[in-house]
Amino acid sequence: NKQLLAGNPEAAAALVTARDVSKTMNGLFNPMIKGHKAPAANIIKDILENGDTPERIMTSLFGGSGPTGTIKDGSVQALKAIRGALYKYGDKQVANDTWSDIGIAYWQRLVQNKRGDPFTPGVMLGNIKTALANQKSIVDTLYGPKGMAQMRKLANELERIVYKPPNAS
């Protein structure tokens, strides 16, 4: 207002824009619900402090339980905030690459053990089914309908591989 009164509308407009960006950034990285920190705020804080790799982001979202365990309260909101910040404030190619890396880190937890060796087809099938059933919101946020369809297709193929006839001798 002082800049407008002084006859400098450009400076006033720049200040308003800066305030809007600050408010948006604060909303993305420190979400509030009814005046209190949202559960996603703590996850985002942990990611910003310790999440220098996609794998560590997954650890912040799930803890040590892995993607077939219980997701932390606020994980979906935290993922959406990360995606929103990447695409709103980052270079589009960097945002695409980073988001893909986060999706790959989740996928690795479904199909690989901690040493990087692939799970057996039965374990993979169980992990994918559990993720699609119990963590649908996470899977949908990371991959969307197209990615979920591909996961279901792989699950169907894995079912054929692990099928055991009921009366096998």
Side-chain angles (χ1 to χ4, degrees):
N1 288 341
K2 288 180 184 178
Q3 292 295 329
L4 279 175
L5 290 174
N8 193 347
E10 293 85 17
L15 184 61
V16 169
T17 302
R19 276 190 185 152
D20 288 343
V21 169
S22 295
K23 184 178 178 183
T24 302
M25 293 293 277
N26 193 38
L28 285 171
F29 294 110
N30 194 20
M32 304 289 271
I33 298 175
K34 295 181 181 178
H36 300 286
K37 267 187 163 181
N42 293 329
I43 293 172
I44 292 169
K45 180 182 177 202
D46 185 47
I47 288 170
L48 291 174
E49 291 173 1
N50 303 314
D52 57 350
T53 66
E55 291 79 12
R56 287 194 182 145
I57 291 173
M58 288 298 113
T59 301
S60 296
L61 294 172
F62 297 105
S65 66
T68 57
T70 306
I71 58 174
K72 290 182 180 178
D73 196 24
S75 291
V76 174
Q77 185 182 10
L79 274 175
K80 288 180 179 179
I82 291 167
R83 183 178 61 198
L86 282 170
Y87 285 100
K88 185 168 183 139
Y89 297 106
D91 177 68
K92 185 163 176 75
Q93 186 61 44
V94 172
N96 285 334
D97 291 346
T98 303
W99 191 248
S100 292
D101 288 348
I102 292 170
I104 289 168
Y106 180 84
W107 181 251
Q108 285 176 319
R109 284 187 150 204
L110 291 176
V111 300
Q112 292 179 353
N113 63 23
K114 291 181 181 181
R115 293 186 316 259
D117 298 326
F119 288 128
T120 64
V123 173
M124 277 186 214
L125 176 62
N127 287 348
I128 292 170
K129 281 184 168 184
T130 301
L132 289 171
N134 299 343
Q135 298 178 353
K136 187 177 184 315
S137 55
I138 292 279
V139 174
D140 190 40
T141 302
L142 285 170
Y143 306 110
K146 192 182 235 183
M148 288 175 68
Q150 289 176 329
M151 288 176 77
R152 284 189 188 94
K153 185 176 179 180
L154 177 61
N156 290 336
E157 293 301 318
L158 287 170
E159 278 183 350
R160 289 183 356 165
I161 292 170
V162 299
Y163 175 75
K164 293 178 184 169
N167 294 325
S169 47

PDB file of all heavy atoms in Angstrom, residues 30-65:
ATOM      1  N   ASN A  30       4.050 -26.929   4.522  1.00  0.00           N
ATOM      2  CA  ASN A  30       3.643 -26.896   5.917  1.00  0.00           C
ATOM      3  C   ASN A  30       2.119 -26.848   5.979  1.00  0.00           C
ATOM      4  O   ASN A  30       1.547 -25.882   6.468  1.00  0.00           O
ATOM      5  CB  ASN A  30       4.270 -25.694   6.615  1.00  0.00           C
ATOM      6  CG  ASN A  30       4.175 -25.796   8.112  1.00  0.00           C
ATOM      7  OD1 ASN A  30       3.992 -26.862   8.668  1.00  0.00           O
ATOM      8  ND2 ASN A  30       4.280 -24.653   8.779  1.00  0.00           N
ATOM      9  N   PRO A  31       1.458 -27.906   5.476  1.00  0.00           N
ATOM     10  CA  PRO A  31      -0.010 -27.871   5.416  1.00  0.00           C
ATOM     11  C   PRO A  31      -0.645 -27.816   6.797  1.00  0.00           C
ATOM     12  O   PRO A  31      -0.144 -28.414   7.748  1.00  0.00           O
ATOM     13  CB  PRO A  31      -0.361 -29.162   4.686  1.00  0.00           C
ATOM     14  CG  PRO A  31       0.822 -30.036   4.798  1.00  0.00           C
ATOM     15  CD  PRO A  31       2.006 -29.152   4.968  1.00  0.00           C
ATOM     16  N   MET A  32      -1.725 -27.083   6.869  1.00  0.00           N
ATOM     17  CA  MET A  32      -2.452 -26.903   8.127  1.00  0.00           C
ATOM     18  C   MET A  32      -3.891 -27.388   7.949  1.00  0.00           C
ATOM     19  O   MET A  32      -4.467 -27.270   6.877  1.00  0.00           O
ATOM     20  CB  MET A  32      -2.472 -25.422   8.532  1.00  0.00           C
ATOM     21  CG  MET A  32      -1.100 -24.783   8.661  1.00  0.00           C
ATOM     22  SD  MET A  32      -0.194 -25.352  10.079  1.00  0.00           S
ATOM     23  CE  MET A  32      -0.726 -24.203  11.295  1.00  0.00           C
ATOM     24  N   ILE A  33      -4.447 -27.922   9.028  1.00  0.00           N
ATOM     25  CA  ILE A  33      -5.852 -28.292   9.071  1.00  0.00           C
ATOM     26  C   ILE A  33      -6.444 -27.637  10.308  1.00  0.00           C
ATOM     27  O   ILE A  33      -6.040 -27.921  11.431  1.00  0.00           O
ATOM     28  CB  ILE A  33      -6.045 -29.824   9.147  1.00  0.00           C
ATOM     29  CG1 ILE A  33      -5.475 -30.503   7.904  1.00  0.00           C
ATOM     30  CG2 ILE A  33      -7.512 -30.175   9.326  1.00  0.00           C
ATOM     31  CD1 ILE A  33      -5.514 -32.013   7.950  1.00  0.00           C
ATOM     32  N   LYS A  34      -7.380 -26.730  10.088  1.00  0.00           N
ATOM     33  CA  LYS A  34      -8.053 -26.015  11.179  1.00  0.00           C
ATOM     34  C   LYS A  34      -7.057 -25.407  12.166  1.00  0.00           C
ATOM     35  O   LYS A  34      -7.195 -25.527  13.371  1.00  0.00           O
ATOM     36  CB  LYS A  34      -9.025 -26.942  11.899  1.00  0.00           C
ATOM     37  CG  LYS A  34     -10.171 -27.396  11.029  1.00  0.00           C
ATOM     38  CD  LYS A  34     -11.124 -28.284  11.787  1.00  0.00           C
ATOM     39  CE  LYS A  34     -12.237 -28.743  10.863  1.00  0.00           C
ATOM     40  NZ  LYS A  34     -13.164 -29.652  11.519  1.00  0.00           N
ATOM     41  N   GLY A  35      -6.026 -24.795  11.639  1.00  0.00           N
ATOM     42  CA  GLY A  35      -5.054 -24.093  12.461  1.00  0.00           C
ATOM     43  C   GLY A  35      -3.979 -24.966  13.084  1.00  0.00           C
ATOM     44  O   GLY A  35      -3.129 -24.471  13.810  1.00  0.00           O
ATOM     45  N   HIS A  36      -4.011 -26.254  12.826  1.00  0.00           N
ATOM     46  CA  HIS A  36      -3.010 -27.169  13.372  1.00  0.00           C
ATOM     47  C   HIS A  36      -2.240 -27.807  12.225  1.00  0.00           C
ATOM     48  O   HIS A  36      -2.748 -27.973  11.131  1.00  0.00           O
ATOM     49  CB  HIS A  36      -3.664 -28.268  14.219  1.00  0.00           C
ATOM     50  CG  HIS A  36      -4.434 -27.737  15.398  1.00  0.00           C
ATOM     51  ND1 HIS A  36      -3.813 -27.236  16.516  1.00  0.00           N
ATOM     52  CD2 HIS A  36      -5.764 -27.618  15.620  1.00  0.00           C
ATOM     53  CE1 HIS A  36      -4.727 -26.839  17.380  1.00  0.00           C
ATOM     54  NE2 HIS A  36      -5.926 -27.055  16.857  1.00  0.00           N
ATOM     55  N   LYS A  37      -0.999 -28.198  12.528  1.00  0.00           N
ATOM     56  CA  LYS A  37      -0.190 -28.862  11.509  1.00  0.00           C
ATOM     57  C   LYS A  37      -0.873 -30.149  11.063  1.00  0.00           C
ATOM     58  O   LYS A  37      -1.294 -30.956  11.883  1.00  0.00           O
ATOM     59  CB  LYS A  37       1.185 -29.218  12.063  1.00  0.00           C
ATOM     60  CG  LYS A  37       2.246 -28.205  11.840  1.00  0.00           C
ATOM     61  CD  LYS A  37       3.567 -28.785  12.302  1.00  0.00           C
ATOM     62  CE  LYS A  37       4.693 -27.973  11.732  1.00  0.00           C
ATOM     63  NZ  LYS A  37       5.981 -28.504  12.121  1.00  0.00           N
ATOM     64  N   ALA A  38      -0.966 -30.321   9.766  1.00  0.00           N
ATOM     65  CA  ALA A  38      -1.501 -31.566   9.214  1.00  0.00           C
ATOM     66  C   ALA A  38      -0.456 -32.665   9.379  1.00  0.00           C
ATOM     67  O   ALA A  38       0.743 -32.385   9.449  1.00  0.00           O
ATOM     68  CB  ALA A  38      -1.852 -31.374   7.738  1.00  0.00           C
ATOM     69  N   PRO A  39      -0.884 -33.936   9.443  1.00  0.00           N
ATOM     70  CA  PRO A  39       0.096 -35.032   9.552  1.00  0.00           C
ATOM     71  C   PRO A  39       1.122 -35.008   8.418  1.00  0.00           C
ATOM     72  O   PRO A  39       2.271 -35.398   8.617  1.00  0.00           O
ATOM     73  CB  PRO A  39      -0.773 -36.290   9.481  1.00  0.00           C
ATOM     74  CG  PRO A  39      -2.116 -35.865   9.961  1.00  0.00           C
ATOM     75  CD  PRO A  39      -2.264 -34.438   9.517  1.00  0.00           C
ATOM     76  N   ALA A  40       0.718 -34.537   7.258  1.00  0.00           N
ATOM     77  CA  ALA A  40       1.650 -34.471   6.125  1.00  0.00           C
ATOM     78  C   ALA A  40       2.798 -33.511   6.398  1.00  0.00           C
ATOM     79  O   ALA A  40       3.890 -33.681   5.851  1.00  0.00           O
ATOM     80  CB  ALA A  40       0.904 -34.043   4.864  1.00  0.00           C
ATOM     81  N   ALA A  41       2.588 -32.517   7.241  1.00  0.00           N
ATOM     82  CA  ALA A  41       3.639 -31.534   7.522  1.00  0.00           C
ATOM     83  C   ALA A  41       4.868 -32.204   8.134  1.00  0.00           C
ATOM     84  O   ALA A  41       6.009 -31.880   7.780  1.00  0.00           O
ATOM     85  CB  ALA A  41       3.115 -30.436   8.448  1.00  0.00           C
ATOM     86  N   ASN A  42       4.650 -33.148   9.048  1.00  0.00           N
ATOM     87  CA  ASN A  42       5.785 -33.845   9.666  1.00  0.00           C
ATOM     88  C   ASN A  42       6.502 -34.740   8.664  1.00  0.00           C
ATOM     89  O   ASN A  42       7.721 -34.853   8.676  1.00  0.00           O
ATOM     90  CB  ASN A  42       5.315 -34.668  10.867  1.00  0.00           C
ATOM     91  CG  ASN A  42       4.838 -33.790  11.996  1.00  0.00           C
ATOM     92  OD1 ASN A  42       5.330 -32.683  12.182  1.00  0.00           O
ATOM     93  ND2 ASN A  42       3.860 -34.262  12.741  1.00  0.00           N
ATOM     94  N   ILE A  43       5.728 -35.380   7.779  1.00  0.00           N
ATOM     95  CA  ILE A  43       6.342 -36.231   6.757  1.00  0.00           C
ATOM     96  C   ILE A  43       7.170 -35.374   5.805  1.00  0.00           C
ATOM     97  O   ILE A  43       8.301 -35.713   5.466  1.00  0.00           O
ATOM     98  CB  ILE A  43       5.262 -37.027   5.995  1.00  0.00           C
ATOM     99  CG1 ILE A  43       4.606 -38.032   6.943  1.00  0.00           C
ATOM    100  CG2 ILE A  43       5.862 -37.735   4.792  1.00  0.00           C
ATOM    101  CD1 ILE A  43       3.399 -38.726   6.367  1.00  0.00           C
ATOM    102  N   ILE A  44       6.614 -34.251   5.379  1.00  0.00           N
ATOM    103  CA  ILE A  44       7.325 -33.352   4.463  1.00  0.00           C
ATOM    104  C   ILE A  44       8.590 -32.813   5.125  1.00  0.00           C
ATOM    105  O   ILE A  44       9.648 -32.744   4.502  1.00  0.00           O
ATOM    106  CB  ILE A  44       6.409 -32.218   3.985  1.00  0.00           C
ATOM    107  CG1 ILE A  44       5.311 -32.797   3.083  1.00  0.00           C
ATOM    108  CG2 ILE A  44       7.191 -31.149   3.244  1.00  0.00           C
ATOM    109  CD1 ILE A  44       4.194 -31.827   2.753  1.00  0.00           C
ATOM    110  N   LYS A  45       8.486 -32.474   6.401  1.00  0.00           N
ATOM    111  CA  LYS A  45       9.663 -31.990   7.129  1.00  0.00           C
ATOM    112  C   LYS A  45      10.744 -33.069   7.149  1.00  0.00           C
ATOM    113  O   LYS A  45      11.922 -32.784   6.893  1.00  0.00           O
ATOM    114  CB  LYS A  45       9.278 -31.607   8.554  1.00  0.00           C
ATOM    115  CG  LYS A  45      10.440 -31.097   9.377  1.00  0.00           C
ATOM    116  CD  LYS A  45      10.012 -30.773  10.792  1.00  0.00           C
ATOM    117  CE  LYS A  45      11.237 -30.334  11.575  1.00  0.00           C
ATOM    118  NZ  LYS A  45      11.071 -30.476  12.999  1.00  0.00           N
ATOM    119  N   ASP A  46      10.346 -34.315   7.417  1.00  0.00           N
ATOM    120  CA  ASP A  46      11.306 -35.415   7.430  1.00  0.00           C
ATOM    121  C   ASP A  46      11.916 -35.616   6.049  1.00  0.00           C
ATOM    122  O   ASP A  46      13.121 -35.841   5.926  1.00  0.00           O
ATOM    123  CB  ASP A  46      10.609 -36.700   7.893  1.00  0.00           C
ATOM    124  CG  ASP A  46      11.577 -37.860   8.045  1.00  0.00           C
ATOM    125  OD1 ASP A  46      12.645 -37.671   8.645  1.00  0.00           O
ATOM    126  OD2 ASP A  46      11.245 -38.962   7.560  1.00  0.00           O
ATOM    127  N   ILE A  47      11.104 -35.510   5.005  1.00  0.00           N
ATOM    128  CA  ILE A  47      11.610 -35.663   3.639  1.00  0.00           C
ATOM    129  C   ILE A  47      12.600 -34.554   3.311  1.00  0.00           C
ATOM    130  O   ILE A  47      13.650 -34.800   2.724  1.00  0.00           O
ATOM    131  CB  ILE A  47      10.442 -35.702   2.622  1.00  0.00           C
ATOM    132  CG1 ILE A  47       9.692 -37.021   2.747  1.00  0.00           C
ATOM    133  CG2 ILE A  47      10.945 -35.499   1.195  1.00  0.00           C
ATOM    134  CD1 ILE A  47       8.400 -37.073   1.974  1.00  0.00           C
ATOM    135  N   LEU A  48      12.273 -33.324   3.689  1.00  0.00           N
ATOM    136  CA  LEU A  48      13.168 -32.205   3.399  1.00  0.00           C
ATOM    137  C   LEU A  48      14.495 -32.335   4.150  1.00  0.00           C
ATOM    138  O   LEU A  48      15.543 -31.939   3.652  1.00  0.00           O
ATOM    139  CB  LEU A  48      12.495 -30.877   3.732  1.00  0.00           C
ATOM    140  CG  LEU A  48      11.335 -30.484   2.820  1.00  0.00           C
ATOM    141  CD1 LEU A  48      10.645 -29.227   3.346  1.00  0.00           C
ATOM    142  CD2 LEU A  48      11.809 -30.278   1.399  1.00  0.00           C
ATOM    143  N   GLU A  49      14.449 -32.907   5.349  1.00  0.00           N
ATOM    144  CA  GLU A  49      15.672 -33.069   6.138  1.00  0.00           C
ATOM    145  C   GLU A  49      16.466 -34.309   5.737  1.00  0.00           C
ATOM    146  O   GLU A  49      17.692 -34.282   5.722  1.00  0.00           O
ATOM    147  CB  GLU A  49      15.325 -33.148   7.628  1.00  0.00           C
ATOM    148  CG  GLU A  49      14.823 -31.841   8.194  1.00  0.00           C
ATOM    149  CD  GLU A  49      14.330 -31.962   9.629  1.00  0.00           C
ATOM    150  OE1 GLU A  49      14.389 -33.071  10.208  1.00  0.00           O
ATOM    151  OE2 GLU A  49      13.880 -30.943  10.173  1.00  0.00           O
ATOM    152  N   ASN A  50      15.771 -35.414   5.410  1.00  0.00           N
ATOM    153  CA  ASN A  50      16.460 -36.695   5.202  1.00  0.00           C
ATOM    154  C   ASN A  50      16.205 -37.324   3.839  1.00  0.00           C
ATOM    155  O   ASN A  50      16.823 -38.323   3.514  1.00  0.00           O
ATOM    156  CB  ASN A  50      16.016 -37.708   6.272  1.00  0.00           C
ATOM    157  CG  ASN A  50      16.255 -37.201   7.665  1.00  0.00           C
ATOM    158  OD1 ASN A  50      17.311 -36.685   7.964  1.00  0.00           O
ATOM    159  ND2 ASN A  50      15.258 -37.317   8.516  1.00  0.00           N
ATOM    160  N   GLY A  51      15.292 -36.773   3.058  1.00  0.00           N
ATOM    161  CA  GLY A  51      14.872 -37.424   1.825  1.00  0.00           C
ATOM    162  C   GLY A  51      15.648 -37.001   0.607  1.00  0.00           C
ATOM    163  O   GLY A  51      15.070 -36.544  -0.365  1.00  0.00           O
ATOM    164  N   ASP A  52      16.957 -37.163   0.648  1.00  0.00           N
ATOM    165  CA  ASP A  52      17.770 -36.733  -0.487  1.00  0.00           C
ATOM    166  C   ASP A  52      17.759 -37.736  -1.635  1.00  0.00           C
ATOM    167  O   ASP A  52      18.307 -37.470  -2.689  1.00  0.00           O
ATOM    168  CB  ASP A  52      19.195 -36.424  -0.041  1.00  0.00           C
ATOM    169  CG  ASP A  52      19.865 -37.600   0.654  1.00  0.00           C
ATOM    170  OD1 ASP A  52      19.168 -38.583   0.959  1.00  0.00           O
ATOM    171  OD2 ASP A  52      21.074 -37.531   0.898  1.00  0.00           O
ATOM    172  N   THR A  53      17.127 -38.899  -1.436  1.00  0.00           N
ATOM    173  CA  THR A  53      16.985 -39.875  -2.507  1.00  0.00           C
ATOM    174  C   THR A  53      15.541 -40.364  -2.526  1.00  0.00           C
ATOM    175  O   THR A  53      14.851 -40.292  -1.503  1.00  0.00           O
ATOM    176  CB  THR A  53      17.914 -41.092  -2.296  1.00  0.00           C
ATOM    177  OG1 THR A  53      17.490 -41.800  -1.129  1.00  0.00           O
ATOM    178  CG2 THR A  53      19.367 -40.695  -2.182  1.00  0.00           C
ATOM    179  N   PRO A  54      15.070 -40.877  -3.653  1.00  0.00           N
ATOM    180  CA  PRO A  54      13.705 -41.422  -3.695  1.00  0.00           C
ATOM    181  C   PRO A  54      13.494 -42.555  -2.683  1.00  0.00           C
ATOM    182  O   PRO A  54      12.412 -42.684  -2.118  1.00  0.00           O
ATOM    183  CB  PRO A  54      13.571 -41.931  -5.130  1.00  0.00           C
ATOM    184  CG  PRO A  54      14.511 -41.087  -5.917  1.00  0.00           C
ATOM    185  CD  PRO A  54      15.668 -40.838  -4.999  1.00  0.00           C
ATOM    186  N   GLU A  55      14.517 -43.351  -2.445  1.00  0.00           N
ATOM    187  CA  GLU A  55      14.399 -44.439  -1.482  1.00  0.00           C
ATOM    188  C   GLU A  55      14.157 -43.911  -0.072  1.00  0.00           C
ATOM    189  O   GLU A  55      13.368 -44.464   0.691  1.00  0.00           O
ATOM    190  CB  GLU A  55      15.671 -45.315  -1.504  1.00  0.00           C
ATOM    191  CG  GLU A  55      15.843 -46.119  -2.774  1.00  0.00           C
ATOM    192  CD  GLU A  55      16.392 -45.310  -3.954  1.00  0.00           C
ATOM    193  OE1 GLU A  55      16.861 -44.166  -3.761  1.00  0.00           O
ATOM    194  OE2 GLU A  55      16.339 -45.835  -5.080  1.00  0.00           O
ATOM    195  N   ARG A  56      14.826 -42.827   0.272  1.00  0.00           N
ATOM    196  CA  ARG A  56      14.617 -42.238   1.601  1.00  0.00           C
ATOM    197  C   ARG A  56      13.248 -41.568   1.702  1.00  0.00           C
ATOM    198  O   ARG A  56      12.669 -41.499   2.777  1.00  0.00           O
ATOM    199  CB  ARG A  56      15.730 -41.245   1.918  1.00  0.00           C
ATOM    200  CG  ARG A  56      17.027 -41.956   2.214  1.00  0.00           C
ATOM    201  CD  ARG A  56      18.037 -41.044   2.846  1.00  0.00           C
ATOM    202  NE  ARG A  56      19.274 -41.773   3.074  1.00  0.00           N
ATOM    203  CZ  ARG A  56      20.466 -41.238   2.979  1.00  0.00           C
ATOM    204  NH1 ARG A  56      20.591 -39.972   2.692  1.00  0.00           N
ATOM    205  NH2 ARG A  56      21.532 -41.962   3.204  1.00  0.00           N
ATOM    206  N   ILE A  57      12.737 -41.074   0.584  1.00  0.00           N
ATOM    207  CA  ILE A  57      11.374 -40.539   0.579  1.00  0.00           C
ATOM    208  C   ILE A  57      10.403 -41.662   0.914  1.00  0.00           C
ATOM    209  O   ILE A  57       9.475 -41.481   1.712  1.00  0.00           O
ATOM    210  CB  ILE A  57      11.036 -39.872  -0.775  1.00  0.00           C
ATOM    211  CG1 ILE A  57      11.849 -38.587  -0.933  1.00  0.00           C
ATOM    212  CG2 ILE A  57       9.540 -39.592  -0.891  1.00  0.00           C
ATOM    213  CD1 ILE A  57      11.733 -37.931  -2.293  1.00  0.00           C
ATOM    214  N   MET A  58      10.598 -42.836   0.333  1.00  0.00           N
ATOM    215  CA  MET A  58       9.737 -43.993   0.635  1.00  0.00           C
ATOM    216  C   MET A  58       9.841 -44.360   2.107  1.00  0.00           C
ATOM    217  O   MET A  58       8.837 -44.680   2.742  1.00  0.00           O
ATOM    218  CB  MET A  58      10.113 -45.195  -0.233  1.00  0.00           C
ATOM    219  CG  MET A  58       9.736 -45.069  -1.689  1.00  0.00           C
ATOM    220  SD  MET A  58       7.961 -44.932  -1.932  1.00  0.00           S
ATOM    221  CE  MET A  58       7.852 -43.251  -2.542  1.00  0.00           C
ATOM    222  N   THR A  59      11.039 -44.298   2.675  1.00  0.00           N
ATOM    223  CA  THR A  59      11.211 -44.591   4.095  1.00  0.00           C
ATOM    224  C   THR A  59      10.452 -43.569   4.937  1.00  0.00           C
ATOM    225  O   THR A  59       9.833 -43.923   5.942  1.00  0.00           O
ATOM    226  CB  THR A  59      12.706 -44.596   4.468  1.00  0.00           C
ATOM    227  OG1 THR A  59      13.362 -45.591   3.676  1.00  0.00           O
ATOM    228  CG2 THR A  59      12.915 -44.903   5.933  1.00  0.00           C
ATOM    229  N   SER A  60      10.462 -42.305   4.532  1.00  0.00           N
ATOM    230  CA  SER A  60       9.720 -41.279   5.264  1.00  0.00           C
ATOM    231  C   SER A  60       8.217 -41.542   5.197  1.00  0.00           C
ATOM    232  O   SER A  60       7.498 -41.272   6.155  1.00  0.00           O
ATOM    233  CB  SER A  60      10.018 -39.892   4.706  1.00  0.00           C
ATOM    234  OG  SER A  60      11.365 -39.558   4.899  1.00  0.00           O
ATOM    235  N   LEU A  61       7.749 -42.058   4.067  1.00  0.00           N
ATOM    236  CA  LEU A  61       6.322 -42.320   3.901  1.00  0.00           C
ATOM    237  C   LEU A  61       5.867 -43.569   4.641  1.00  0.00           C
ATOM    238  O   LEU A  61       4.757 -43.614   5.176  1.00  0.00           O
ATOM    239  CB  LEU A  61       5.972 -42.472   2.417  1.00  0.00           C
ATOM    240  CG  LEU A  61       6.132 -41.220   1.561  1.00  0.00           C
ATOM    241  CD1 LEU A  61       5.945 -41.574   0.097  1.00  0.00           C
ATOM    242  CD2 LEU A  61       5.153 -40.153   1.972  1.00  0.00           C
ATOM    243  N   PHE A  62       6.706 -44.612   4.672  1.00  0.00           N
ATOM    244  CA  PHE A  62       6.296 -45.894   5.219  1.00  0.00           C
ATOM    245  C   PHE A  62       7.031 -46.312   6.470  1.00  0.00           C
ATOM    246  O   PHE A  62       6.652 -47.295   7.096  1.00  0.00           O
ATOM    247  CB  PHE A  62       6.507 -46.998   4.172  1.00  0.00           C
ATOM    248  CG  PHE A  62       5.680 -46.813   2.951  1.00  0.00           C
ATOM    249  CD1 PHE A  62       6.255 -46.363   1.785  1.00  0.00           C
ATOM    250  CD2 PHE A  62       4.332 -47.077   2.959  1.00  0.00           C
ATOM    251  CE1 PHE A  62       5.505 -46.190   0.643  1.00  0.00           C
ATOM    252  CE2 PHE A  62       3.563 -46.900   1.826  1.00  0.00           C
ATOM    253  CZ  PHE A  62       4.150 -46.454   0.672  1.00  0.00           C
ATOM    254  N   GLY A  63       8.106 -45.654   6.799  1.00  0.00           N
ATOM    255  CA  GLY A  63       8.939 -46.144   7.881  1.00  0.00           C
ATOM    256  C   GLY A  63       9.643 -47.404   7.428  1.00  0.00           C
ATOM    257  O   GLY A  63       9.897 -47.587   6.247  1.00  0.00           O
ATOM    258  N   GLY A  64       9.910 -48.312   8.309  1.00  0.00           N
ATOM    259  CA  GLY A  64      10.600 -49.543   7.947  1.00  0.00           C
ATOM    260  C   GLY A  64       9.680 -50.639   7.446  1.00  0.00           C
ATOM    261  O   GLY A  64      10.137 -51.706   7.086  1.00  0.00           O
ATOM    262  N   SER A  65       8.364 -50.383   7.416  1.00  0.00           N
ATOM    263  CA  SER A  65       7.424 -51.457   7.104  1.00  0.00           C
ATOM    264  C   SER A  65       7.356 -51.805   5.627  1.00  0.00           C
ATOM    265  O   SER A  65       6.842 -52.847   5.264  1.00  0.00           O
ATOM    266  CB  SER A  65       6.024 -51.079   7.591  1.00  0.00           C
ATOM    267  OG  SER A  65       5.523 -49.979   6.857  1.00  0.00           O
TER     268      SER A  65
END
